[in-house]
Every structure is written in C-alpha cells, then in structure tokens.
Amino acid sequence: MLQDGCGEPQEKLLVTWGSGPGSMGLGVPEKAGQPQVTLLPTPNGSGPGQDVDSYWPESPERSACVAGVIPVIYYSVLLSLGLPVNLLTTVALARLATRTRKPSYHYLLALTASDIVTQVVIVFVGFLLQGAVLARQVPQAVVRTANILEFAANHASVWVAVLLTVDRYNALCRPLRHRVTSSPGRTRRAIAAVFCTALLTGIPFYWWLDVWRDADPPSTMDKLLKWAHCLIVYFIPCSIFLVTNSAIILRFRKRGQRGLRPWMGKSTAILLGVTSLFALLWAPRIGVMLYHLYVAPVHRDWRVHLALDIANMMAMFNTAVNFGLYCFVSKTFRATVRQVIHDAHLSCTLGSQPEAMVVEPVLKSIGLPKGAGL
C-alpha cells in the first residue's frame, strides 16, 4: 500500500516523474549491485536530526523525494475529475459537429480525444498503474513501448491544436479560400493524418531513458531525443501559434481602424485561450528539461527534482482545463452540455421505471391513445 513518499526505504516508495511522459513512476530501492535510493527521513524522530537541513540527504547519489505522496494524490484527482469531464466534452462537441458541420468543432473534438488518450496512457497507465501500483516492476520492453504511446498522445494533442489554429487563420484572413477548401471530409482526413504522424514520431522515443535512473552525463542520443521532444511538442507549435494568432489579432485591429466592429467569434476566442493555456502550462516543463540537460542533473539535485515534478503536474493539468474554457466562452456549448446531462438523467430515470410506466408518458406526449402501438 502506498504511504508517505519520503519515509523509510524498506516501507515507503519514492514518488517521481521523469522528464518525459515515459519516465513517470515511483522510484524504488535498487536491488543488489545497483545504486541505492536515498530517501528523506521521517519527521517523527526516526531520522538523523530535526532541523530542516537534516531532511536533505548528505549523500549526492540520488536526489530526495521532496514532493512525497502529493503527485499520487494530484494525478488521482486529475484523472477522476478530468476523464469524466473530457467524456462529457466529447459528447457535446460530437453533437455540435454533427449539427453544424463546422471544422472547428471537429478539431476541438479531436483535441479532446487526444486529451483523453493522454490521461489514460500517461496519468493512469504510466503514473498510477505502472508507477504507484506496480512500482515499475514491469519488463523494460513494456515500459519503452508505453513511451511510444505516451509521446504520440502528446504530439497528437498539440498538433491538432495547430490544425485548429491554421483553420481559424484561413477562415479570418483568407475567407474565400477557406470556403472552397473547408469540408468535414477534408477535416477528418487532416485529423487522421495528424494522428498517424504523431504515432510515427513517437516511435524514436522507445529509447527515451528514465531520468531518475540515469546518473551518467547525457549521451548524444539523450540530447537528440530531448531536443526533438522540445521542438515537436513546444517550440515549433508555439512559433506557429505566435505567428497565426498575431495575424488574427492584427486583422481585428485593422477592422477597428476602418470603423468596422472588431468582433471576435467564439471559435477565435477558444483558439486564443487553448493556445495560450498550452504555452503557459508547458513552459515550466520545457525549461526544467533543458536546465536538467545542461546545468544540473535531476538525479543529484533535489531542487531540480522538485521543479520537474511541479512542471509535469502543470503540463498534465492542460488535459483537463479546456472544458472550463469552452463553457466560459461559448453559450452554445453550455446549452449543449446541459442538454447532454438532461438526456443522460432522463435515460437513467426512464430506465429505472417499469416498462408500462415508461410507454404511457411517451404515448401521451405524441398524442396517441393509451394502448396504441408505436
């Protein structure tokens, strides 16, 4: 059973999450012949000393567990709340996409689907199941194969947002071309191409190393994979976000200068919100990764260890925050969510009643006499 993450080595585990999605897990004491894990003493007097400095290990062999059990609680809450919310978002967006046939709803639906995959693969399988429950006692080939799915989910999520950005840019800055080229079929093909490409780009990360177990200086392969991750997931997408969003905002300003109403639609507002939240929530993770790569190792510096834990928690929060953004911006989305909840509640209520009691209100509502067939 999982207890405090900074306790006695024989009874408690070290809660960690590496610099990549595939590095999540709980550090456990190494077997014979391998480096031992240095953990924090308990504050009940069992450790050497009671002052604050005594809580950090004097040996530089492995950084201490500073976050303790907090990441396990955080990811459990994130999954238990974020997954149902994303499922509700999926149903609502699917209804809107079917009803309006707008490409933006298809892109938001794909973005939500990739967030669900990220939560299931990274948070549930990678951290909670593989790390907290199994304590990473799984074959290395399984861990490395999970890396492919984890990185592919991240790549798909961010590049679907890139598709949404390009679509909004074309709709506002090149409206004639957008009307000609935009269709549900092309939108679905573009989304499918992004998901397939994301899976292909995730394959090289089979060789992604666990940062908590890597005490040696980074090799050329380590540097290439980390820089590839930073470029694919953050620097290139954020550059596209910056250019296209700047062009969109500049167009609204020009409309205002010409005396026209600089009206911003809900799709554009959602786009700016999604891209801004992504850039803000993922920036700490990218910064800490590069700091670890060139300045201080996570393996021997508890401060980088703590910073990386916090940065990863912020990055994963991005998978559950979009629902609140959609509700805040779009009245149509709020109404659709209410309708989905109402339909689900009505279905559960009717399903719990006897058949005769269910059929009679339905017959009355459509003006049929009692006993008439449907």
Side-chain angles (χ1 to χ4, degrees):
M1 181 177 179
L2 183 64
Q3 301 180 11
D4 187 5
C6 298
E8 298 175 2
Q10 292 80 5
E11 298 179 356
K12 302 178 183 180
L13 301 176
L14 174 63
V15 180
T16 60
W17 185 24
S19 63
S23 300
M24 295 184 301
L26 298 181
V28 295
E30 304 289 345
K31 298 179 181 179
Q34 297 178 346
Q36 295 293 321
V37 178
T38 302
L39 299 178
L40 295 180
T42 55
N44 58 4
S46 59
Q50 295 296 318
D51 56 336
V52 175
D53 292 337
S54 66
Y55 281 81
W56 315 128
E58 296 179 0
S59 173
E61 291 301 320
R62 185 177 291 271
S63 58
C65 171
V66 182
V69 77
I70 292 176
V72 177
I73 299 174
Y74 173 82
Y75 290 118
S76 299
V77 174
L78 180 68
L79 186 66
S80 61
L81 296 180
L83 190 57
V85 163
N86 279 334
L87 293 175
L88 176 61
T89 304
T90 300
V91 177
L93 290 175
R95 290 191 179 187
L96 290 172
T98 303
R99 185 188 310 163
T100 64
R101 298 175 63 86
K102 289 183 178 180
S104 57
Y105 286 124
H106 287 85
Y107 290 130
L108 293 177
L109 180 60
L111 179 63
T112 305
S114 61
D115 286 341
I116 292 175
V117 173
T118 300
Q119 289 178 335
V120 172
V121 173
I122 297 180
V123 178
F124 176 69
V125 176
F127 185 86
L128 296 177
L129 181 60
Q130 177 187 310
V133 177
L134 301 178
R136 298 189 68 84
Q137 299 302 314
V138 292
Q140 189 68 15
V142 176
V143 176
R144 291 180 177 272
T145 302
N147 286 354
I148 298 176
L149 299 178
E150 293 168 359
F151 281 96
N154 275 338
H155 297 172
S157 179
V158 65
W159 282 94
V160 166
V162 171
L163 286 182
L164 175 63
T165 304
V166 174
D167 176 78
R168 284 293 84 204
Y169 171 79
N170 288 330
L172 295 172
C173 301
R174 300 176 181 178
L176 296 178
R177 180 181 178 182
H178 183 263
R179 292 192 187 99
V180 174
T181 60
S182 177
S183 68
R186 291 190 177 187
T187 301
R188 287 191 290 267
R189 287 194 294 271
I191 293 172
V194 165
F195 275 89
C196 292
T197 305
L199 183 59
L200 291 176
T201 57
I203 293 176
F205 293 92
Y206 178 89
W207 293 274
W208 182 275
L209 297 180
D210 191 341
V211 68
W212 306 112
R213 299 178 182 272
D214 183 17
D216 299 325
S219 64
T220 302
M221 176 64 74
D222 299 336
K223 293 181 179 179
L224 288 177
L225 288 177
K226 285 183 171 61
W227 269 108
H229 176 62
C230 292
L231 290 172
I232 294 173
V233 152
Y234 194 78
F235 290 121
I236 295 178
C238 284
S239 299
I240 298 175
F241 295 155
L242 179 62
V243 172
T244 53
N245 290 347
S246 299
I248 291 172
I249 294 174
L250 183 61
R251 183 170 182 84
F252 282 123
R253 288 184 177 180
K254 288 182 177 179
R255 286 174 59 91
Q257 292 174 357
R258 292 198 300 263
L260 301 175
R261 182 183 178 186
W263 180 76
M264 180 181 295
K266 60 184 179 183
S267 298
T268 305
I270 288 175
L271 165 67
L272 297 178
V274 166
T275 54
S276 299
L277 286 173
F278 170 80
L280 290 175
L281 292 175
W282 272 77
R285 168 180 165 81
I286 300 300
V288 175
M289 279 185 58
L290 296 179
Y291 184 85
H292 154 68
L293 188 61
Y294 291 105
V295 180
V298 178
H299 186 84
R300 297 188 179 184
D301 193 334
W302 66 267
R303 292 164 296 187
V304 184
H305 185 145
L306 176 62
L308 193 54
D309 277 334
I310 296 175
N312 285 326
M313 288 190 284
M314 292 178 62
M316 284 297 99
F317 182 67
N318 185 66
T319 62
V321 73
N322 288 338
F323 174 80
L325 174 65
Y326 302 158
C327 289
F328 178 77
V329 173
S330 176
K331 182 179 179 181
T332 303
F333 180 80
R334 293 196 300 271
T336 306
V337 169
R338 286 195 296 268
Q339 186 63 40
V340 170
I341 296 175
H342 177 267
D343 292 347
H345 176 71
L346 183 62
S347 176
C348 293
T349 302
L350 295 179
S352 62
Q353 295 179 357
E355 183 178 355
M357 298 179 62
V358 175
V359 174
E360 182 176 353
V362 174
L363 294 175
K364 290 182 179 179
S365 65
I366 60 177
L368 294 177
K370 182 178 179 180
L374 292 176

